[in-house]
Amino acid sequence: MNRLLLFSLLILGAFGCAGPRFQQPVTTRFAREDVRKLETPNLDVYYVANQKENAYRLVAKLERCLKPLQAHARSKSTRAKPVVYLTTAVLNNAYVISAALGLFEHMVLGASVNAEQIMFLGVPVAHMEAMACHEAVHYVHLQQTDGLWSAVNTVAGNIWSPNSVLDNWFSEGLATWYEATFAEGLGRPNSPMWRGWYRSFLQHRGGRISAGDLLGARDVPNGPYLAGSYFVDFLARKYGEEKLWELIDVQGHSIFSPFGVTLRFSKVYGKTIEGLLEEYNQELAETFHPRTRPAEQRVLEASLGNEARIAVSPADGAVAIIRSDLDAPATLRIRERSGAVRFERTLMPVLPGRRWIVAGPSGVSGMTFTADGRWLFFVSADYSELGDFTARLWKVDARTGEVVQVWDGLEGVGGAVHPDGSSYVYVEVKGDTSNLVKMDLATGVRTSLTGFTGTESLATPAYSPTGDRISFSRWTGRSFDLFVRGPDGALEQVTSDGRFNFGARWVDERRLVFMREHEELSQVHLLDLENRHIQRLSDAPWIALDPSPVDGSRVLLLNREGLSWSLDEIALPTSTPPPPPPTASGPGGIHAAVLSLVLGATGAPPSDTTPEVEVLSDEPYWPLDGLFRPTMHLPLLGLWNTQAPDGSVRWNRLVGMARLQGADRLGIHNYLAQFTFDSENTRTNLSLSYGNYQLAPWYLDVSGGRITDGRLLDWTARIAASRTWWNSIDMQLAGEFLDRTLEATESESFRHVRLAGPRLSVGYTAVDSTMYVNRRGLILSLSGAAFPSQVSTEGLFDLRGAMTVYLPLPLLRRDELELTVAARAMPGSSQEILQLGGFSRGMSLYNIGAAPPQTPRDIFLPSGAAFVEQLRGYEDFPLFVNHAAVGGVRYRLPLIIDQGWASLAYILPSVHFRELDLEGFAQAALAVDNAGRHWHRVAGGAAFFRLNVGGYFPVSLYYQFAHRFDDGLKPLHTFGLSFD
């Protein structure tokens, strides 16, 4: 009981603070914009006032998802109304935070996305209800807390949610599986790309999935989502949907929720997770049938990587390829018609002053050449200054790979460059409405080409060879259909069956090639605009992507094979087969003709934006909303035992903590107050902190505390302002006050030290990584603090600079070379207060060859004044110096395992063995102390066995050998545990 109490104190002291509730771009937009609170009988929604119609439409759809989910929940205990934040920040994601560790449960939704790949997976660019309903599953799932933890949360605030520790394969698989049930056509399970991904992966695995695939094997795209959704589908089909909610209910009542999860599956299903997985694999053995590429589909390049996009030059047949792989960062390559490589360049810059931050195939859309093949254009999703996503248009010299120009702020996804290079048409997304917009490349003037209103999702516009017409895809209720905008602005619908008609490119003025669903998979099709005849051209095993015509005789495409893409080629037919008999509602029939007349030149269909929402209130946001309702109000009290001189045990030691934590609903004001005490050592500690985001993106943090330990008294105070730019530059400006006093005794004199002054730190991070290693990168950091004698007991400075460089190596495809240098100086100090080495990575469990214990140094510094610099291999032997410069090299070779067990010994959580990292390192430090300059050199190696426990707790077991060349130290062998 006492150990549990102590563990609780440590955990709760470590988690939860008066820090920002949301990511910087989310809070910044809430702080800058006019926010309103919409209350319905079922939801509390915070949204930006100019997004009212969008918010109401989304709320109406979200409520339709929530009601059946809440009806499935077995527990009928009263739950708090879901709290939803609709942000204008482009996150290309959405998430739910569980009610635990002082946070209340809430959902964050972006108003739109700007990554075309998300549309491939059943989430149209402006139809955010697909993401909203996915998150609704998480919300209802996480709310199912009953029994002991429900009582604890009622008394103390939001402490724990037992369902938050179910493995991701179940929670994300469940939510992904449900996506397909809320609206026709929406959601990943309805996407032919998603199906093809899964079946291609399954064929690569020999028709079986393993626990490692469920737990996050890194070669599986969206592993817990992909494999998890199909495994959940199996459980629902064989055992019934209600069993899923029975399991959630059993988990919600559990006390030791991270443990015994597979036993709860056994209680509900009669089999452990491993047993159920074996049942699923038996079904796959009977139902899954491998497919092979047909003979007429020719391979031009066998492996482009696990992510790729292509475009073909109409002038010379050159192919632009943007690709990345598990072991290769994103590159742009242009391949000649002959197969020769014209050039290949990395896409991510790492030096300061870069014009873009990230780029890669998953964020690319609208890649096209000008008619003469001279220029390549595409749109890339990239980080904005605030840290959310924006869209940038690139103009690339197709001869050299030089990025000639970048246009910012497109607010949408890409399309196509005009054949003559004068303009670029793209999909502009405003809230939940998208439209075609033409940007004049010379002047930057943007002109709307359509006038859609309401919830509208458009995609993949493309110019005809003459530039007079534009094809594009539009979500029409159950999937995408093709439209053509004529020279007069009139819109004509050319398919009307909603079979994922996507990514059209013009063969000539009469014909289009495009992706279209056939037998649940994406295949290349040909459409003749004159007679509306559609002909399937490909029979790719699983996915055909980016069909691109060449010379009117061939089509290049990306073919999914296993876990990567290949570049393939198929023939275009020399003649079009006769059309089938016309039908009243088929392509080219009355339906399309009438729609064309209705749309006319404006492109605006009739739009009913009347919200289907029962409104209890809709008012401007009150800045103090929820501020005085703490999310954690924790009293924790317990007895501890002490041992008397006669050996008897007395329960006379009182240990406890009181904690108050809260924030207003937008996270603008955040506070934390904590008081702890221990009667044995007369320790009473008080800490207070307050965070304010009114000057967002700057975050202001004020904190202070009082710590006592017998005769020792520490006072601390700090005020800091911090922010980031482009997710790569961070800055913090702070003022610090640290004061320590030791009362005098008969044998010891009174002592006092105070440090007060400003501190500034700046950091820059740019690393080009693969799934496993850092290939290229630069990390810089500078910091300085001044403690002037006018306000400190001793005037001194703390100055530090550091640089880390990652360099690619030519021999192996999966290794990492890291070079580091750091320098730190403490001018003005009268004593050696800079500690070099002396602390372990994670937790040192056992040492061989450790240095004998040193006489403790009498360095009297206030709590929080830690002047420490790492020196690897000197974990057991701290050095105290005035100044130090440390340089080092580290080589890492990861050996990937990616295997796991759904549980260990039935009781322990799941374990995913990620990799075994082998390292070699060398470091040298030149330190200056009062006796002069000294070298401290070390070299050695290490092995890290990295695993993930329970799907949420990454740890490493490690062994390290270090040979010390100086200081008369023996070689050091360390066995330890680190937390990644």
Side-chain angles (χ1 to χ4, degrees):
M1 173 180 177
N2 292 310
R3 291 183 180 178
L4 179 60
L5 171 64
L6 178 61
F7 179 76
S8 301
L9 288 171
L10 292 174
I11 291 295
L12 292 170
F15 287 96
C17 62
R21 171 172 295 164
F22 305 115
Q23 300 163 303
Q24 177 180 282
V26 176
T27 310
T28 299
R29 296 181 192 279
F30 281 148
R32 291 178 175 180
E33 296 169 333
D34 180 15
V35 178
R36 298 183 66 86
K37 178 182 179 180
L38 167 65
E39 186 176 358
T40 77
N42 306 301
L43 291 171
D44 285 341
V45 182
Y46 297 87
Y47 70 94
V48 176
N50 62 14
Q51 293 288 311
K52 182 174 182 177
E53 289 187 358
N54 177 16
Y56 272 53
R57 287 191 289 264
L58 187 56
V59 166
K61 296 165 186 172
L62 181 56
E63 287 192 330
R64 289 198 291 270
C65 299
L66 277 167
K67 288 178 181 178
L69 292 170
Q70 290 167 337
H72 279 304
R74 296 174 68 89
S75 172
K76 301 308 176 185
S77 300
T78 302
R79 311 291 183 191
K81 280 198 300 185
V83 178
V84 180
Y85 296 91
L86 181 60
T87 175
T88 54
V90 181
L91 305 178
N92 285 338
N93 194 10
Y95 59 89
V96 169
I97 297 296
S98 64
L101 301 174
L103 298 173
F104 70 92
E105 194 167 23
H106 59 272
M107 180 192 305
V108 177
L109 297 172
S112 60
V113 297
N114 70 353
E116 186 179 59
Q117 189 178 79
I118 295 176
M119 288 193 279
F120 290 160
L121 303 180
V123 183
V125 68
H127 283 70
M128 292 306 294
E129 62 266 29
M131 282 191 176
C133 291
H134 176 104
E135 301 307 326
V137 179
H138 289 317
Y139 211 113
V140 177
H141 172 197
L142 291 170
Q143 277 192 321
Q144 306 310 305
T145 300
D146 293 284
L148 174 65
W149 285 112
S150 176
V152 170
N153 290 343
T154 300
V155 172
N158 300 326
I159 304 298
W160 188 244
S161 170
N163 269 297
S164 65
V165 292
L166 275 177
D167 282 324
N168 275 350
W169 74 261
F170 181 83
S171 57
E172 296 297 353
L174 180 75
T176 303
W177 178 74
Y178 265 115
E179 287 178 21
T181 68
F182 295 120
E184 186 179 7
L186 287 176
R188 278 166 278 200
N190 287 319
S191 161
M193 298 287 288
W194 185 257
R195 300 186 196 108
W197 259 8
Y198 181 65
R199 296 174 190 179
S200 178
F201 144 72
L202 199 59
Q203 182 163 325
H204 180 77
R205 289 289 198 262
R208 293 177 60 87
I209 65 171
S210 68
D213 297 325
L214 291 174
L215 297 173
R218 282 163 291 177
D219 59 352
V220 183
N222 297 278
Y225 297 77
L226 187 71
S229 63
Y230 282 93
F231 188 29
V232 168
D233 175 70
F234 164 76
L235 295 176
R237 284 187 290 103
K238 180 162 185 177
Y239 294 95
E241 181 181 357
E242 292 308 313
K243 286 287 186 181
L244 300 170
W245 292 97
E246 183 181 345
L247 174 69
I248 291 170
D249 183 63
V250 172
Q251 178 73 12
H253 281 85
S254 64
I255 298 175
F256 303 106
S257 44
F259 303 100
V261 171
T262 197
L263 295 178
R264 296 184 193 108
F265 271 86
S266 184
K267 179 180 179 180
V268 173
Y269 289 98
K271 292 188 177 182
T272 63
I273 301 173
E274 295 281 4
L276 293 168
L277 184 57
E278 184 56 34
E279 273 194 343
Y280 179 47
N281 281 321
Q282 290 173 5
E283 179 183 273
L284 289 175
E286 299 171 358
T287 59
F288 178 73
H289 303 291
R291 284 169 52 90
T292 58
R293 179 189 286 106
E296 59 271 19
Q297 183 174 316
R298 190 165 70 94
V299 180
L300 301 181
E301 191 164 344
S303 180
L304 296 180
N306 67 321
E307 291 186 349
R309 301 300 303 271
I310 63 168
V312 175
S313 167
D316 55 13
V319 185
I321 305 169
I322 293 181
R323 64 180 292 269
S324 65
D325 198 8
L326 297 171
D327 296 304
T331 60
L332 168 63
R333 179 206 300 173
I334 288 193
R335 181 185 190 274
E336 303 285 7
R337 181 197 296 265
S338 64
V341 176
R342 183 182 299 177
F343 68 79
E344 184 165 17
R345 57 157 299 168
T346 58
L347 285 179
M348 181 174 173
V350 298
L351 297 178
R354 48 193 179 156
R355 290 179 289 170
W356 63 90
I357 310 303
V358 294
S362 63
V364 163
S365 57
M367 185 161 60
T368 52
F369 286 87
T370 51
D372 59 6
R374 177 73 172 78
W375 306 104
L376 174 69
F377 286 79
F378 60 85
V379 169
S380 176
D382 196 5
Y383 289 127
S384 73
E385 178 185 339
L386 291 178
D388 61 340
F389 284 98
T390 185
R392 292 191 168 96
L393 173 64
W394 294 33
K395 179 182 180 181
V396 180
D397 188 326
R399 298 170 302 180
T400 65
E402 177 190 0
V403 181
V404 177
Q405 191 170 354
V406 176
W407 290 266
D408 291 331
L410 266 67
E411 296 184 88
V413 293
V417 65
H418 193 279
D420 64 10
S422 62
S423 62
Y424 189 89
V425 62
Y426 66 98
V427 176
E428 182 183 68
V429 183
K430 296 285 190 181
D432 67 343
T433 303
S434 60
N435 279 287
L436 299 187
V437 171
K438 181 181 74 172
M439 182 170 73
D440 186 286
L441 296 177
T443 64
V445 174
R446 305 180 189 191
T447 305
S448 292
L449 301 182
T450 56
F452 291 110
T453 60
T455 303
E456 286 289 345
S457 290
L458 310 182
T460 63
Y463 278 108
S464 66
T466 61
D468 292 334
R469 293 185 291 173
I470 299 172
S471 64
F472 63 96
S473 297
R474 177 188 176 210
W475 184 266
T476 53
R478 51 181 172 153
S479 191
F480 286 99
D481 276 304
L482 292 182
F483 286 70
V484 171
R485 183 185 187 274
D488 59 354
L491 302 184
E492 183 178 9
Q493 184 172 353
V494 295
T495 70
S496 57
D497 52 13
R499 287 173 55 185
F500 189 68
N501 302 287
F502 202 89
R505 290 291 180 262
W506 295 76
V507 178
D508 48 41
E509 288 295 327
R510 194 189 78 190
R511 296 180 297 168
L512 293 167
V513 292
F514 60 102
M515 293 181 288
R516 176 179 168 88
E517 184 177 345
H518 172 72
E519 295 180 349
E520 297 191 332
L521 301 174
S522 170
Q523 300 291 355
V524 180
H525 287 70
L526 176 69
L527 169 66
D528 189 313
L529 291 174
E530 289 186 358
N531 58 25
R532 305 299 169 84
H533 177 67
I534 296 175
Q535 180 181 358
R536 180 171 60 85
L537 303 182
S538 74
D539 189 25
W542 302 120
I543 303 176
L545 175 65
D546 283 350
S548 303
V550 184
D551 300 335
S553 62
R554 300 176 297 138
V555 176
L556 302 190
L557 61 112
L558 289 172
N559 173 82
R560 190 69 176 179
E561 185 168 16
L563 300 176
S564 65
W565 297 97
S566 64
L567 178 64
D568 288 16
E569 175 187 79
I570 57 176
L572 269 170
T574 55
S575 60
T576 303
T583 59
S585 58
I590 295 175
H591 178 78
V594 170
L595 182 62
S596 176
L597 293 173
V598 172
L599 296 176
T602 68
S607 179
D608 180 10
T609 60
T610 304
E612 304 172 17
V613 178
E614 182 183 348
V615 178
L616 300 181
S617 65
D618 187 351
E619 300 172 344
Y621 177 72
W622 182 48
L624 302 183
D625 182 11
L627 185 64
F628 303 113
R629 297 196 301 272
T631 52
M632 183 181 286
H633 33 85
L634 175 68
L636 193 60
L637 189 66
L639 285 175
W640 200 265
N641 61 67
T642 59
Q643 190 169 12
D646 60 4
S648 61
V649 175
R650 301 176 183 176
W651 294 86
N652 59 356
R653 180 178 173 186
L654 194 62
V655 180
M657 177 173 71
R659 183 185 182 99
L660 202 65
Q661 178 179 336
D664 73 290
R665 287 304 206 193
L666 291 186
I668 306 297
H669 305 277
N670 309 267
Y671 63 87
L672 171 65
Q674 182 169 296
F675 174 77
T676 61
F677 65 94
D678 182 345
S679 62
E680 174 69 14
N681 298 313
T682 63
R683 292 175 179 168
T684 56
N685 302 328
L686 175 66
S687 61
L688 303 169
S689 64
Y690 168 73
N692 185 287
Y693 236 139
Q694 286 177 291
L695 300 178
W698 287 95
Y699 180 71
L700 183 67
D701 178 33
V702 182
S703 61
R706 176 183 183 273
I707 303 172
T708 63
D709 186 359
R711 297 183 300 115
L712 197 65
L713 172 63
D714 282 337
W715 288 96
T716 64
R718 188 172 187 270
I719 181 170
S722 60
R723 69 156 296 181
T724 64
W725 290 265
W726 300 287
N727 280 354
S728 59
I729 301 173
D730 58 86
M731 176 184 288
Q732 184 178 84
L733 177 63
E736 299 177 347
F737 174 86
L738 306 168
D739 186 279
R740 168 165 284 191
T741 302
L742 182 66
E743 296 177 2
T745 65
E746 294 181 359
S747 60
E748 195 171 357
S749 61
F750 171 84
R751 304 181 72 178
H752 174 244
V753 63
R754 176 186 299 128
L755 296 175
R759 182 181 293 274
L760 173 66
S761 63
V762 181
Y764 171 84
T765 302
V767 179
D768 195 8
S769 301
T770 69
M771 182 65 71
Y772 304 115
V773 297
N774 299 314
R775 299 300 292 173
R776 301 162 50 248
L778 177 64
I779 303 173
L780 301 171
S781 65
L782 292 171
S783 65
F787 304 104
S789 58
Q790 291 83 354
V791 290
S792 304
T793 53
E794 180 179 14
L796 61 93
F797 295 87
D798 177 15
L799 306 176
R800 185 181 188 275
M803 179 173 65
T804 299
V805 177
Y806 293 100
L807 297 176
L809 295 172
L811 297 179
L812 300 179
R813 63 190 178 93
R814 188 178 294 167
D815 57 357
E816 175 181 290
L817 180 64
E818 176 190 82
L819 306 177
T820 59
V821 60
R824 192 160 185 177
M826 306 287 298
S829 173
S830 62
Q831 58 177 326
E832 300 155 326
I833 62 173
L834 174 59
Q835 179 183 330
L836 183 61
F839 61 95
S840 300
R841 178 191 301 230
M843 184 186 305
S844 177
L845 302 177
Y846 185 68
N847 290 317
I848 301 174
Q854 296 174 270
T855 303
R857 295 291 296 262
D858 185 18
I859 296 180
F860 191 70
L861 288 175
S863 174
F867 304 112
V868 179
E869 200 67 34
Q870 182 179 5
L871 180 58
R872 191 168 181 179
Y874 272 69
E875 292 85 358
D876 63 323
F877 192 77
L879 304 163
F880 292 89
V881 300
N882 296 315
H883 319 295
V886 182
V889 58
R890 181 180 67 94
Y891 175 80
R892 181 171 75 93
L893 178 65
L895 305 176
I896 306 305
I897 301 172
D898 271 344
Q899 298 294 325
W901 283 264
S903 68
L904 282 181
Y906 297 103
I907 298 297
L908 298 178
S910 65
V911 176
H912 176 215
F913 297 131
R914 295 181 290 152
E915 63 190 69
L916 176 65
D917 280 357
L918 303 180
E919 290 188 357
F921 66 91
Q923 281 194 314
L926 178 60
V928 179
D929 57 22
N930 293 337
R933 297 182 178 181
H934 306 278
W935 282 101
H936 308 282
R937 295 164 296 177
V938 62
F944 291 82
F945 182 51
R946 304 193 186 278
L947 57 153
N948 192 298
V949 179
Y952 52 85
F953 192 51
V955 297
S956 294
L957 299 170
Y958 71 89
Y959 161 75
Q960 176 178 290
F961 166 77
H963 181 80
R964 284 85 69 90
F965 296 91
D966 305 296
D967 305 302
L969 298 175
K970 297 179 180 180
L972 178 65
H973 304 261
T974 302
F975 298 86
L977 177 69
S978 66
F979 305 99
D980 302 337

